Amino acid sequence: MKTLILSIAIGTIFFVACEKKVEAVVQQSLYEQIANAAKYSFYKNDSSVLPSAPQSAHNAFFRVRFNSIAAAALTDAGKLPVNGSFPEGSIIVKDLYNQQNGNIVLYSVLKKESGNANSNGGWLWAEYDTSGKEIYAIGSKGDGCVNCHSVNSRDKVRLFDLF
Ligand code: HEC
């Protein structure tokens, strides 16, 4: 009996440790997927850095880019059509700048992966600093992001109705 309890305990510890590891690998590989901006296209093909909307929690200046899977869904004059949705594998990156002519200080990231246990509203939610260090973990499942991103959004994406 003791051995059984012990093995269950050890098994659980391994399982939890393994889950954490898998999560860390997903987090790191997502950073690698966003780091190369050359593989992305900018919203309305415009890489200008703009002030974030007053409705936004993001500081302070930004530009948004889409991977090719996400970009393919932008069929309404560069926007996702109302009631449209992004395909699986879509990645959207918000480059956040400290000043309009300044430096990138943060990447806010959405990846469409509805089958992933960490997804919320179909998306993985993450933030990284420029060295790839996680600032907002995928494992937080969009807590603190999704509520605001559900207001006036198209498939949880906010900029279409603001810019
Ligand atoms: C209080 C509201 C609010 C919260 C909280 C918020 N966002 Fe946003 N987010 C916005 C708005 C508004 C925009 C549109 C651009 C802008 O003005 O900043 C935006 C833009 C984005 C974009 C570019 C795509 C889009 O939706 O336009 C990403 C990626 C993003 N947010 C990720 C996140 C993540 C990750 C979190 C949580 C860590 C988060 N956001 C929390 C309001 C919010």
Side-chain angles (χ1 to χ4, degrees):
M1 188 63 190
K2 257 190 189 158
T3 337
L4 180 65
I5 292 171
L6 194 65
S7 19
I8 291 174
I10 292 173
T12 312
I13 291 166
F14 270 115
F15 181 71
V16 171
C18 182
E19 282 235 295
K20 283 271 162 240
K21 183 122 194 270
V22 168
E23 210 177 286
V25 169
V26 170
Q27 185 99 16
Q28 193 52 38
S29 92
L30 182 54
Y31 177 73
E32 280 153 23
Q33 293 168 57
I34 65 148
N36 187 356
K39 291 189 177 158
Y40 283 73
S41 47
F42 288 100
Y43 182 47
K44 296 179 174 169
N45 287 324
D46 184 356
S47 62
S48 327
V49 176
L50 302 172
S52 292
Q55 293 89 334
S56 171
H58 305 262
N59 286 322
F61 298 93
F62 80 100
R63 60 183 194 179
V64 170
R65 51 192 168 94
F66 300 84
N67 72 349
S68 56
I69 301 173
L74 305 176
T75 53
D76 176 11
K79 300 183 184 219
L80 183 75
V82 179
N83 300 324
S85 64
F86 282 100
E88 294 294 316
S90 291
I91 301 179
I92 306 176
V93 183
K94 190 181 200 211
D95 296 329
L96 282 148
Y97 287 74
N98 54 355
Q99 294 169 36
Q100 202 142 17
N101 297 316
N103 301 308
I104 297 182
V105 287
L106 192 75
Y107 300 107
S108 290
V109 184
L110 291 174
K111 181 173 188 194
K112 196 52 141 350
E113 221 174 279
S114 12
N116 192 310
N118 284 321
S119 68
N120 190 340
W123 296 96
L124 298 175
W125 302 77
E127 288 185 333
Y128 303 90
D129 72 10
T130 50
S131 71
K133 188 172 149 238
E134 110 187 2
I135 302 294
Y136 181 90
I138 286 175
S140 301
K141 301 184 182 173
D143 189 26
C145 315
V146 174
N147 280 357
C148 188
H149 270 261
S150 302
V151 182
N152 297 327
S153 76
R154 300 188 188 183
D155 196 13
K156 302 274 181 291
V157 175
R158 292 221 45 189
L159 88 165
F160 301 124
D161 289 350
L162 293 166
F163 295 90

